[in-house]
């Protein structure tokens, strides 16, 4: 593979950054401040790593203007260094480019619409009436159910499963093991016996949605499960049937959202958070890790639940006190009444 190299002048122009240094210095890769060497570019986004700035061996560093004087090497000035790094990361991505065409081992229904610009990998199954947009990549071993629609430029990594009637916008990115459109957990109970309910809704994704490895998004029971534009879902997330997630919301790994909950735009959910069903979560709500939501949250802001780790001995003492809270509260009320009397 040919090594890609760029001059600092080219990089500065592409990022719209102010360059302080030699525009002819060539960059062939990215690295952290601690690990970078000559020919590599680094960045400073987290102030906790500022102590490495003066001694880094990187050929250049992307920094905010206020940090420029603390660097002993060439600097590219951006108000958001992390965004600059994010954009440059694609320049040096070693992932192979999928060639267009349908692999001979793929099983493709004759009614499927596959443009010449799409790539269908080995041992992929594409069922009836599927439509792929231009430049779509379907990784090896994936299954695309009947009547699915996948927008232009979307990429499905190997072993992705789309059940029937999943609709996906443009430029979506679905990682390996994800399952979209599986049946939601719907059963009716009669005298202790559970009877399965057919899930007849769809899963609908907007544009620029990313779904992590082994994440599952259940189809709607009646209405659709809807994932808005720009939503980012990490690995091992469960989105239940009829959930709606607003544009540009992000969720870290192991979040679970129960059925029919509506989540607003620009929310951020920390890892292992849980949201009960049939709730309304407003815009710009942030949940710290392992937060459990059991009621509606209409106001923007940061919400937390649970307690941090402590020694087992202290935790056991606190657990005993927790069980005594109701009795303590009753005694406190009695004391307040006596004082008022």
């Amino acid at each position: 593979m040919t090594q890609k190299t760029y001059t600092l002048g080219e990089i500065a122009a592409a990022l719209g950054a102010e360059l302080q240094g030699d525009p002819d210095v060539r960059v062939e890769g990215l690295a952290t401040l601690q690990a970078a060497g000559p020919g590599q570019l680094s960045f400073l986004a987290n102030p906790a790593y500022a102590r490495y700035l003066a001694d880094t061996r990187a050929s250049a560093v992307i920094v905010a203007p206020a940090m420029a004087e603390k660097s002993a090497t060439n600097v590219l000035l951006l108000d958001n260094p992390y965004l600059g790094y994010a954009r440059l990361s694609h320049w040096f991505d070693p992932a192979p480019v999928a060639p267009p065409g349908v692999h001979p081992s793929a099983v493709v229904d004759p009614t499927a619409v596959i443009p010449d610009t799409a790539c269908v990998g080995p041992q992929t199954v594409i069922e009836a009436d599927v439509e792929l947009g231009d430049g779509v990549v379907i990784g090896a071993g994936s299954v695309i159910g009947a009547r699915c629609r996948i927008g232009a430029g979307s990429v499905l990594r190997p072993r992705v499963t789309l059940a029937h009637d999943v609709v996906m916008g443009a430029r979506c990115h679905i990682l390996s093991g994800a399952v979209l459109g599986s049946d939601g957990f719907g059963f009716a109970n009669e005298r202790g016996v559970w009877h399965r309910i057919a899930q007849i809704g769809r899963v609908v994704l907007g544009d620029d949605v990313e779904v992590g490895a082994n994440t599952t998004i259940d189809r709607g029971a009646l209405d659709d499960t809807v994932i808005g534009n720009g939503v980012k879902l990490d690995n091992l997330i469960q989105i239940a049937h009829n959930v709606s997630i607003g544009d540009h919301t992000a969720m870290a790994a192991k979040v679970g959202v129960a059925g029919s909950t509506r989540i607003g735009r620009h929310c951020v959910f920390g890892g292992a958070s849980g949201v009960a069903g049939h709730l309304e979560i407003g815009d710009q709500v942030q949940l710290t890790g392992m937060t459990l939501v059991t009621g509606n949250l209409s106001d923007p802001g940061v919400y937390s639940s649970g307690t941090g780790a402590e020694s087992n001995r202290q935790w056991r003492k606190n657990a005993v006190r927790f069980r005594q809270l109701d009795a303590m509260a009753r005694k406190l009320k009695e004391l307040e009444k006596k004082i008022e009397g």
Side-chain angles (χ1 to χ4, degrees), residues 222-270:
L222 291 171
D223 298 330
D224 297 333
T225 300
V226 178
I227 312 297
N229 295 324
V231 168
K232 311 301 183 189
L233 302 178
D234 197 0
N235 304 331
L236 296 167
I237 287 175
Q238 159 65 11
I239 306 298
H241 56 189
N242 300 108
V243 167
S244 174
I245 300 178
D247 295 350
H248 305 292
T249 284
M251 297 182 180
K254 298 184 180 179
V255 167
V257 181
S260 300
T261 284
R262 300 180 62 83
I263 296 168
R265 299 172 297 171
H266 300 284
C267 295
V268 178
F269 288 9

Side-chain angles (χ1 to χ4, degrees), residues 37-80:
Q40 293 181 308
L41 184 146
S42 190
F43 66 98
L44 176 65
N46 187 335
Y49 295 96
R51 63 185 184 276
Y52 300 113
L53 192 58
D55 297 325
T56 185
R57 297 173 60 243
S59 291
V61 180
I62 306 173
V63 296
M67 302 298 294
E69 294 182 358
K70 297 184 179 182
S71 174
T73 187
N74 302 295
V75 294
L76 295 161
L77 302 183
L78 283 175
D79 291 333
N80 189 342

